[in-house]
Each structure stands twice: as structure tokens, then as C-alpha cells.
Amino acid sequence: MTTARETVLGRVRDALALAPAAGTPVPRAYRTGRTLPDEERLSLFTDRLVDYKAQVHPCTADRTAEVVAEVLRQRGARRIGVPTGLDPQWLTAYDGEVRQDSADIPAPRLDSLDGVVTASAVSCAETGTIFLDGSPGQGRRALSLVPDLHVCVVDLSTVEVGVPEAVARLVPERPTTLISGPSATSDIELERVEGVHGPRTLAVVIRTDV
């Protein structure tokens, strides 16, 4: 009588036998180099973000601080966390308490924050995905996942059309978090539940001169 363990191991052996030999080149004929004018890229990215139920706030670069402060005010965020390398100019209009994050702060304590403000590494317009890579302006993974509100500042110049173009701008060795709208899942009855494994609210401030 075959045991479950033998069945699983047998399937693994079969799969390995069908695998390409070591050193076999992997075809990577992805579509790359796609571009769109700024207006179209912004429109596509915004459409995808809104479809994910993210809040979108386009603004010119000189209004970043004003818009970030307004978003935080609307959400009642009086105590926020920020990564060590966040541009301090983005918070000059905010009159609440700002706490700089540190690896010494246990992740559960981040739940006491009303929200977090971070920068971003690159984004994909086609999928509405924002990439964080742990750079100083983005901070550690826990900072953007524990608080219930994430205000993410995105420069339009970092928004690529598709996934291959976006991934090409990342540093492979850096830890990468992909964000496609607020945290959400659905139960067996397809009832949408938000805030299960990340922020319940995602507000994206898109810096653009369009």
C-alpha cells in the first residue's frame, strides 16, 4: 500500500526527471521598452489604483507637503511613522506627531501609529502595482504593513508601463514589497474583507507636472 509520503516523493522525482538540464538557457522574450506619454501613463496608473480601491491624489511636486498633510488630516492621523530617509520637506505642512522608525522598535508596537508615510522605488501603470525596495525613504517591510493607513508618495517619473520595465529598474538584491491596492481578501462566500494582512487604506500621492 502506497503511503502519502511515497506518493509525494514519487511526484517530485517525476517532475525532476522532466526538468531541463542544468545550464539550459531560459527564454526571456518579454515585451520590454514600452513607453507612453506622461498623461497616458498617469491616466492608466490612476485607473488601476482606483479599481483597487486606493485613494489617488495627483499633485505638482511643490504641493507634496500640502497634499500629504491634507490626506493625513482627512484620515484623522495624529501620530505617524516615517522611515529614516523620508524627505523631511514632505511633512512640513503636517502638524501631528512624527515618529522615525527604527529596527529596534518591535513590529507589534507599530500598531500604535495612525498611519505611515513612505516613498516608493518604482511602479507599474499596467497593473497598478507599487514596488518598495527597503531604501531609506521606504523603510523596513513591517513599517508599511502594520499601520492601518499607508500614504505612499510616487513620482510619475518612476512609473513604468509594464511589469518587465518596472522590474528592470529594481535592484535584485534588495527586499521588495509589491503593493496593488489596500490589503484585502475574500472569504468562501466572496465577501471582501480589507486590512487582513496590511493597511486597510492606501493613499497614493502622485507627484507630477502633467
Side-chain angles (χ1 to χ4, degrees):
M1 183 175 182
T2 303
T3 65
R5 179 175 182 275
E6 291 170 339
T7 300
V8 171
L9 292 177
R11 290 176 179 175
V12 170
R13 284 191 293 269
D14 292 343
L16 290 174
L18 296 174
T24 301
V26 178
R28 303 187 186 278
Y30 310 127
R31 291 185 300 170
T32 59
R34 289 177 295 165
T35 60
L36 284 174
D38 286 351
E39 296 88 346
E40 293 182 32
R41 215 165 65 256
L42 174 61
S43 177
L44 178 60
F45 186 44
T46 299
D47 177 75
R48 297 298 189 268
L49 289 171
V50 171
D51 190 53
Y52 284 136
K53 302 186 183 302
Q55 301 174 5
V56 182
H57 306 271
C59 68
T60 53
D62 61 328
R63 294 189 64 244
T64 303
E66 177 186 342
V67 173
V68 168
E70 179 61 18
V71 171
L72 294 171
R73 185 194 66 78
Q74 290 177 354
R75 301 299 305 182
R78 300 302 304 165
R79 184 190 304 110
I80 65 167
V82 299
T84 57
L86 189 75
D87 188 339
Q89 294 299 315
W90 294 354
L91 299 175
T92 53
Y94 176 64
D95 59 0
E97 179 182 351
V98 178
R99 295 185 178 180
Q100 194 169 91
D101 187 38
S102 165
D104 297 330
I105 300 175
R109 283 179 52 191
L110 297 174
D111 193 44
S112 65
L113 299 171
D114 297 321
V116 57
V117 179
T118 75
S120 56
V122 66
S123 298
C124 173
E126 206 167 55
T127 64
T129 303
I130 299 170
F131 298 73
L132 307 184
D133 68 0
S135 296
Q138 298 155 52
R140 56 177 172 157
R141 183 177 172 85
L143 181 64
S144 60
L145 291 178
V146 176
D148 205 40
L149 166 66
H150 181 190
V151 179
C152 188
V153 180
V154 175
D155 283 319
L156 184 60
S157 62
T158 67
V159 179
E160 295 288 346
V161 175
V163 172
E165 292 84 3
V167 170
R169 294 182 60 163
L170 296 171
V171 178
E173 294 77 19
R174 299 199 64 85
T176 305
T177 301
L178 279 63
I179 304 170
S180 295
S183 166
T185 189
S186 296
D187 61 18
I188 196 170
E189 295 179 352
L190 300 183
E191 291 291 334
R192 180 182 173 92
V193 180
E194 298 179 349
V196 176
H197 44 70
R200 193 186 314 270
T201 302
L202 172 65
V204 184
V205 177
I206 308 176
R207 289 159 44 99
T208 171
D209 292 321
V210 175

